[in-house]
Amino acid sequence: QRVQSVCRVDTWAGPNPIYGCMGSNHSAFRCVSARALLVGLALVSCMACAHPTPPFLDESGAPLRESIAEETYLEMPGADEYLLIRGRDRKAPIVLFLHGGPGGSETALMRAVHVELEDHVVMAYWDQRGAGRSYRSTISLDTMTISRFLADMDDVVDYLRRHLGRERLFLVGHSWGATLSMLYAKQY
């Protein structure tokens, strides 16, 4: 919708917004340029988020000994799935954030919003099968089922419990992630 509104500013000459940039008074080049600019900006924004997670530092700039700032890929049947774990104190309670979608990773956005939470809890951000850094075009559509997502989630929960030496953790979900959280709590 944003691309269309940029292209339609004083250029839309017909009733069909898809062809709005093809008005008789303006060149198609201008419209293509506007679309290319927006796509380029989106890609740059995504690439800006694709850097290693920074460590937690003390006043002298040294990494905090009890903190955790890790990225890993967990091997699941038919997919390798990205997991980011961050917390100033690795002994703090664990919170697993489940993004909406399916297919809509929110890791970069939630990292920006949850910065202060990481001072009090260990935040785990999981890019579910087919989303964000877990996306691969080779993932079979047959594996994109609720039961497979729940099994993947159980593997993530088990990994976090083993890796951080805890019995329990908290689930926080947005939209689709909230649905997965409720289904998981009911099943497990």
Side-chain angles (χ1 to χ4, degrees):
Q1 188 175 21
R2 176 75 178 124
V3 172
Q4 290 176 351
S5 65
V6 167
C7 292
R8 281 191 291 177
V9 173
D10 84 355
T11 63
W12 184 46
N16 189 337
I18 294 172
Y19 300 107
C21 296
M22 307 239 175
S24 58
N25 299 350
H26 298 57
S27 71
F29 177 76
R30 181 174 169 193
C31 185
V32 170
S33 295
R35 287 183 176 144
L37 175 65
L38 288 174
V39 169
L41 288 173
L43 289 173
V44 168
S45 296
C46 289
M47 289 170 42
C49 299
H51 53 79
T53 191
F56 289 89
L57 305 175
D58 64 17
E59 298 79 27
S60 68
L64 288 174
R65 231 176 52 195
E66 291 300 316
S67 68
I68 184 167
E70 297 178 356
E71 298 173 276
T72 190
Y73 282 87
L74 304 179
E75 289 185 34
M76 309 284 188
D80 290 338
E81 298 181 25
Y82 175 78
L83 182 64
L84 170 65
I85 308 168
R86 292 189 50 82
R88 184 169 294 280
D89 179 3
R90 70 183 307 122
K91 292 183 171 62
I94 305 166
V95 175
L96 173 59
F97 178 78
L98 296 124
H99 63 73
S105 173
E106 298 165 352
T107 300
L109 174 63
M110 291 303 109
R111 275 279 299 114
V113 173
H114 293 162
V115 170
E116 291 183 23
L117 282 176
E118 295 172 3
D119 288 337
H120 306 285
V121 297
V122 174
M123 289 297 302
Y125 307 92
W126 166 45
D127 280 359
Q128 301 159 25
R129 176 180 298 265
R133 293 188 182 180
S134 298
Y135 173 80
R136 300 290 179 277
S137 62
T138 56
I139 295 174
S140 171
L141 290 178
D142 294 338
T143 68
M144 301 295 283
T145 64
I146 292 174
S147 60
R148 182 70 257 161
F149 276 80
L150 290 172
D152 290 351
M153 185 175 167
D154 192 43
D155 289 345
V156 172
V157 167
D158 285 347
Y159 174 84
L160 289 169
R161 291 173 57 219
R162 278 191 321 273
H163 186 60
L164 296 169
R166 303 289 161 47
E167 188 59 32
R168 302 179 119 186
L169 56 87
F170 295 93
L171 303 175
V172 174
H174 169 247
S175 189
W176 162 252
T179 301
L180 277 182
S181 297
M182 290 186 293
L183 291 171
Y184 183 84
K186 182 180 179 185
Q187 184 170 334
Y188 294 94

